[in-house]
Structure formats: structure tokens, C-alpha cells
Amino acid sequence: MYSVQANFLISLGQKAQVPIVTFSATSPSLSSLRSPYFVRATLNDSTQVNPIVAIIQAFGWKEAVPIYEDNEFGEGIVPFLTDALEQVNARVPYRSVIPSTATDEQIVAELSKLKTMQTRVFIVHMLSSLGSLLFAKAAQLGMMSKDYAWIITDSITNELNSMDPSVLASMLGVIGVKPYIPQTKELDDFAIRYKNMTLQSNPKALNLDIYGIWAYDSALALAMAVEKAGLSNLTYQKTNTSTNSTDLEAFGVSLSGPKLIQALSSTTFRGLAGNFQLVDGQLQAPPYEIVNIVAHGVSGIGYWTKENGIVNKLKFTSSSTSAYSTSKDNLGSITWPGNESSPPKGWAVPTKTKKLRVGVPVKAGFTEFVRVTWNSDNTTKVEGYCIDVFDAVMAALPYDVPYEYIPFATPDRKMAGVYNDLVYEVYLGVSSFFLFSLINEQNYDAVAGDVTILGNRSQYVDFTLPYRESGVSMVVPIPEDKKGNTWLLVKPLTWELWSTIFVSFVLFGILVWFLERPRNRDFRGTGWDQFCMIFWFSFSTMFFAHKERVVSNSAKVVVIVWLLAVFILTQGYASSLTSMLTVQKLTDTDVNELIRNKEYVGYSNTSFVYEFLKKRFDKSQLRPFKSAEEMDQLLSKGSANGGIAAAFHEIPYLNLFIAKYRSKYMMVGPTYKAAGFGFVCDSLDYIYVSILRCRLFFFLDSTSLFFSAGLPNRFSSSTSCFEENSECDRGPDDGGD
């Protein structure tokens, strides 16, 4: 009857060479015994794993917790279930084991533990007696409400029709899978005969269920096998045993057993449960029916087949050519726990959890990226572009990650160090937890901000993929002779030449008018019309847009000369303008010129650019600035008046600066590539679950935001040109990004 009994009986059948037939022992572990005399005329529990996983795929759940009975029957399905979930990128964060003889207190304790966790998708695999008690307690604890999803295996689903209505009421919204049994006339007739013969003699007998149907098919198959084998002499060959041996040791060996098992293995027929066919001693799996427990009982919502996946209706008339599907659209209307019509997310904020401590820098300038403000009650508000990106990705995750922003600040609300110190706090937070099981108040699980990915930092922390491109360049004041770029289009020609062109323009119009007027009607009219015609014809001929015909040969010669002059003039103008723009680029300030002239240059006191500059400039030439306003003041003064000739910073900041002071400064020189902005998380990803959730890959473009959970991206060889060695040489007030 049960899987826990099967091992013993299978060993007896092997010894006596007698077929051992089961219609209800479903544990996959029994298949590993590989006894040729074991016949499973029921389904292996592992066959229902794929329908369950297809349901999880259909609703996009990424985690599921199996709840199973603590015996061979319950444990047998778990390895198959775990492997199948991993193949669809779903994980099993916890396994809940319920003893077969569990008390109410034990069940409540285990369910309370599950309630404190984040995952809200549960797969229940146990006998119906224990399952009824489990769901009754789950309802009492409020776990049959919104946000929860429950899936039951066929060990419970097959028994739903015989369960007490009060138990079914506590299971509202549960989804179950069970083997599909076609409703045929033969099955209906048998059910009537069973009811008349069995229930009348024994009113307490169980109603006909799938196990009864399989038992009938098993008995029929055995009878057919006996007839096929032509058995007439059912005798045993006695074994030599001592007088002290037990009855089990005195078993003989059946002389007819090998012939009988061979006949049984090849027996096929159309039974009450469908096609009866044994392969390797096991019944072949039919399609599975997916059901939903609703207020009025059990409702079918779809089917699963190994060829087509989840389907709305079964088709037996012809071979289906449709692809395998796990679309939830193929399922019917579902009632979820809490009488909800929309599917749960599969996760919720756990009742007991540690929030992810996310460190953020406290910036004095360029606060468009990160801005920390303190409220009157000493709470903080964190805003900015980097924070918006971090919030958007965390909100889009398929599970909840509680987190809080912790400013990297001193009691007087200033930056508590430099960016390297902030990054190192993530490493210290994990190390202190690992070594001392204690996280100090200044340690973080992650850092969200404008932190540049550098090679030396990735030695002790991990970075996500860059979500913002970066690089270092410089800005310089626009020279006075270049500020008039509005009139740049007129500079290729002198004012004298422009005046000559205008006079020629007028004279050409007058000359053509004079030559054409006596013979051409287009050049006649009122005085105002003729005046306008002079200017219109001169202008339109430049673009071959004139519609007036030229009749006089003399006028034609004048027009040809004019067009030739216009062609030469436009070509010369274009060449002159191109030359001016090229010369302007060639004469822009570059790094080598600043070094030769020993000019003062500026850098942000919260930027790693100091490391780059000190390798090219003398330290006495470097002057720090804190904000865009101070940067503007230093550039306005100039190097000779206590200011700077150029300012170096990362391109995202320079773009903001130029947008604010567009008419005063320009970005020049080459761009020195950096790895970009990334979020910081720990490299000891096996230490703490909340830190694992930080391991996201971010990529941004102009229209989309992509992410996925995955292993940390290690920048063992940074693309930054600023990290020529692995040491982190910090200048005064250096740190960030």
C-alpha cells in the first residue's frame, strides 16, 4: 500500500522470484532497487515534477519551498523537484520537513518559521491525512491569504473528493495536479457496480478513487498475464535451511515466477485508468490535470502533457504539432488564496529580516548624482540620479529586498572619509560579520552612488556592471576671440568683401533688368514690381530657382558670368570656414601645453583624478575644488591670478558643468577612459543572504533598464588608465568619484 512498506516486500519477492505489484507506492527511490520482480502499476512521483515546474514557470515565480513528509515517500520526490526547478532558474531556499506523526504544535512551529521567510510559494507533498492537518493550521496562521501560493501533489489531489468539506474550505485557492483519468462508459459502469456491491455491504468503505481504479487494472493485468503464461503448476522449490531459521528464511523459490513476470511485463490493454503499459516495470505516465480548489469544490483549469506543456484542452484525435508552452493564458480562471483573482508575486516582505545597509556618499558638490539632506528629526532623505537607478532596479526585482540608505557621514554631517574608505566599509562589514558575527554601525552591505569602478577597489569588493559610462577630460575657458561664435559664419570673408558682394548683387540685377526689359514681358510692370524683380532675380539665380526666361543674348552672357562668380565665391567661402574651424581645434589647450607652461590645474577633492594628475603634474600645480561654483571661480581667475587654467573631472560631471556655464567653458583635449559608475557589493557572497541580493548586473541605455541576478563581475584587470599599479595612493582629501 505505502512506499515505506515496499522495500521489505520487494526484497521478499526478489528472494522468492514472485512478482510484487503495487498500485499506490509512488516513491521514486523504489526504482533504484532495480528488482526485476517489482511492478509499479501506479505512477512514479517524479512524473508530476514537470507539471508542477510548468506552473511555477507560467507565473514567473523564482523561488519555491517544498513541504514534505519525513519518510521515504516524502523525500523521494525532492531531488527531482530541485533539479527541475534549477533548470528553469528557480531555486529552493529552504526545505520544510514535517514528521509523519507531527503534533499540532510541531506543525504550527514549522509554519511559523515559513511565515518569517520571504518566499510565498509552497509545494506540499505528503499523504492526505497529514496534509489536511497542515492546511487547517496554515489557515489559522493566516497563511491561506493574499500573497501566498500553494501547490499540492497528486497524493493529496487524488483524495480531494473524499476530504471533509471543512478541510476543503481551509484550502481555498490551492492548485493541485493529478493524473488524467478519461471519463468512459466502462469507468462509469464499474463505479456503479463498485458502489452497489461494496458500499452496501460495508457503508464505511472508501469511495472509488484513482488507487481503486489502478488496483482493478493491476488485478486484471495479473489475470491476463497468468493466462498468457499458461501456468498450471504453481510450486515452490524448497531451500536448505537450518532448524533455527525463521519462516522468512524458509521461503522457497517459485518455479513459475520468471515466466509470470515476463508475461506481466509484456501485457498491454485499455484499462479503466487508460492505457496499461509497463516499461521497465513501471506504468507510463498519462497527461496531468491541473485543478483549483474553489468555494464550491474542485475545478479543472487546464492540463499538462509532456509534448505540449500547459494546454487548455486535450486533443487525442490527431498528433499535436504545437510547441511546448508554459503560458498562464492556457489556464482557466483561477481563485487564489484570500479569494484573489490575480496571481501572487511569490514573495513578500518577511516578518523578520535584516535590512540591507546601503552606504551613500555625502557630497558638497555635483549633488545631481547623490544628495543627502537631513530633516529636523535627524532622519535623512537621499535623492539623485544614482539613487533613482538603484531604486528602480530593486523595485523591479522578482522578490523583495528590504534596504535602507545610511549616509557615510560624521556627526557634523560631513563626509566621514573618502570614497576609498566608503568602499572599504563594505569589505569591513562582511569581514566583521564573518569573523566576529558583529556588524559595526559604520559598515555597509553595499554602496549606491557615483562610485567609479577601479582595479584596486575590486581586490576587496565586487562591482556591478557599469550603469553609467565615464572617463576623464578637462574644461578650459573659452578664449575671447572664440566667444563670438554666433557670427562665425560671416568671418571667412572680410566686411569689405561682403560689401563688394552686395553691390555686385544689386548691379547684376539692375544690368539684367536693363537688358531684358525692352524685349521681355517678365521684367515689366509697375515701378515697385520692377524694383522687386531686380533683387529677386539676383537671389533666385544663386539657387537656380528663377522662373523668368532670359531672352537677350547680352543678358545671357551676364548671367553666365554671374553664376561663375557665385560658384567661385561659395567654394572659397566653404574652404575658408573649414580652415578656420580646423585651426581652432588645433590651437585648443592640451595637457602637454599645460605641463610645459607650468599652469595650475584643478581637480575635485572628492575625485580619484588626483592619482592621474600627480603622475603628470607637479603636486604644487594641483588645486582642489569642492563644487561646480568653486570650479567656476577658479577658472574665471585664471592661473596667473590664483586660479587655474584648466579643470580635470569625470565626463558626467563636466557635462553638468558645461550645461550650467555653457557660454564660458568648453571641453577640450583627449578623453581618458574609465570603467564607469557601478554599485558596490561584497565579494564574500556566501556569508549572508541579504548581501547575495546585492549581486545585480546593471546596464542602462537610453530607453531600457536591464538586470539579472548572477555571480559578481570581477574587474581583475581594470580598463581604467589611472590604475597603473595595485596600490591605492591617496592624495589629500582624495576619495571619490
Side-chain angles (χ1 to χ4, degrees), residues 2 62 95 107 150 180 216 240 246 279 339 372 383 461 502 521 531 568 570 574 593 676 702 708 720 731:
Y2 302 109
K62 297 301 181 182
R95 300 179 184 183
I107 294 176
W150 295 83
Y180 170 71
Y216 180 85
N240 296 325
T246 64
V279 177
N339 206 23
V372 180
E383 302 171 294
V461 295
F502 178 75
R521 187 176 301 175
F531 178 79
I568 296 173
T570 54
E593 182 182 349
S702 60
S708 67
S720 171

Side-chain angles (χ1 to χ4, degrees), residues 520-557:
N520 194 336
R521 187 176 301 175
D522 292 337
F523 288 84
R524 299 173 186 173
T526 63
W528 176 250
D529 290 339
Q530 296 181 56
F531 178 79
C532 293
M533 176 58 66
I534 292 174
F535 290 94
W536 162 249
F537 188 79
S538 299
F539 179 79
S540 61
T541 52
M542 296 178 63
F543 304 98
F544 304 98
H546 59 286
K547 63 180 180 178
E548 296 81 10
R549 292 186 307 108
V550 178
V551 178
S552 170
N553 290 329
S554 301
K556 291 179 180 179
V557 172

Side-chain angles (χ1 to χ4, degrees), residues 132-201:
S132 300
L133 184 59
L134 176 80
F135 281 104
K137 297 303 176 185
Q140 293 177 9
L141 292 175
M143 298 178 68
M144 300 302 299
S145 57
K146 181 182 178 182
D147 294 333
Y148 286 89
W150 295 83
I151 302 174
I152 54 177
T153 61
D154 60 7
S155 58
I156 299 178
T157 311
N158 288 331
E159 303 286 343
L160 290 177
N161 291 330
S162 61
M163 283 186 176
D164 188 271
S166 62
V167 176
L168 286 179
S170 67
M171 298 174 64
L172 180 66
V174 172
I175 292 179
V177 297
K178 65 177 183 178
Y180 170 71
I181 302 297
Q183 293 296 321
T184 61
K185 185 177 185 300
E186 292 79 5
L187 179 59
D188 294 338
D189 292 342
F190 176 78
I192 295 173
R193 285 188 288 126
Y194 174 84
K195 183 176 181 181
N196 293 336
M197 296 176 61
T198 306
L199 297 183
Q200 288 180 3
S201 60

Side-chain angles (χ1 to χ4, degrees), residues 50-62 84-85 87-90 151 304 310 324-328:
N50 288 331
I52 293 172
V53 172
I55 295 172
I56 290 176
Q57 269 190 287
F59 295 100
W61 297 323
K62 297 301 181 182
L85 288 172
Q87 291 178 5
V88 297
N89 296 322
I151 302 174
W304 176 91
I310 297 177
Y324 189 90
S325 172
T326 57
S327 173
K328 63 182 178 181

Side-chain angles (χ1 to χ4, degrees), residues 437-567:
S437 297
L438 177 65
I439 295 182
N440 122 2
E441 286 301 318
Q442 290 185 337
N443 299 151
Y444 305 111
D445 301 318
V447 171
D450 48 347
V451 182
T452 301
I453 301 168
L454 298 178
N456 65 327
R457 293 173 179 171
S458 63
Q459 294 176 0
Y460 49 90
V461 295
D462 281 311
F463 288 92
T464 62
L465 289 180
Y467 63 89
R468 182 70 168 85
E469 292 184 355
S470 182
V472 173
S473 189
M474 67 176 178
V475 295
V476 296
I478 300 176
E480 290 298 326
D481 60 340
K482 296 178 184 178
K483 288 186 178 180
N485 282 349
T486 305
W487 299 99
L488 184 63
L489 294 177
V490 302
K491 288 186 177 181
L493 304 179
T494 62
W495 287 109
E496 292 80 1
L497 185 55
W498 281 114
S499 301
T500 302
I501 292 173
F502 178 75
V503 172
S504 301
F505 183 89
V506 176
L507 291 177
F508 167 74
I510 294 175
L511 184 58
V512 172
W513 168 78
F514 179 77
L515 295 174
E516 287 292 310
R517 183 174 177 274
R519 302 171 58 184
N520 194 336
R521 187 176 301 175
D522 292 337
F523 288 84
R524 299 173 186 173
T526 63
W528 176 250
D529 290 339
Q530 296 181 56
F531 178 79
C532 293
M533 176 58 66
I534 292 174
F535 290 94
W536 162 249
F537 188 79
S538 299
F539 179 79
S540 61
T541 52
M542 296 178 63
F543 304 98
F544 304 98
H546 59 286
K547 63 180 180 178
E548 296 81 10
R549 292 186 307 108
V550 178
V551 178
S552 170
N553 290 329
S554 301
K556 291 179 180 179
V557 172
V558 172
V559 171
I560 292 173
V561 172
W562 171 248
L563 292 177
L564 180 63
V566 168
F567 174 77

Side-chain angles (χ1 to χ4, degrees), residues 618-638:
D618 188 273
K619 291 184 179 180
S620 61
Q621 294 178 252
L622 305 179
R623 291 178 175 174
F625 53 82
K626 296 181 179 179
S627 62
E629 291 73 21
E630 188 174 350
M631 179 178 170
D632 172 52
Q633 294 175 5
L634 291 174
L635 286 169
S636 299
K637 290 181 180 179

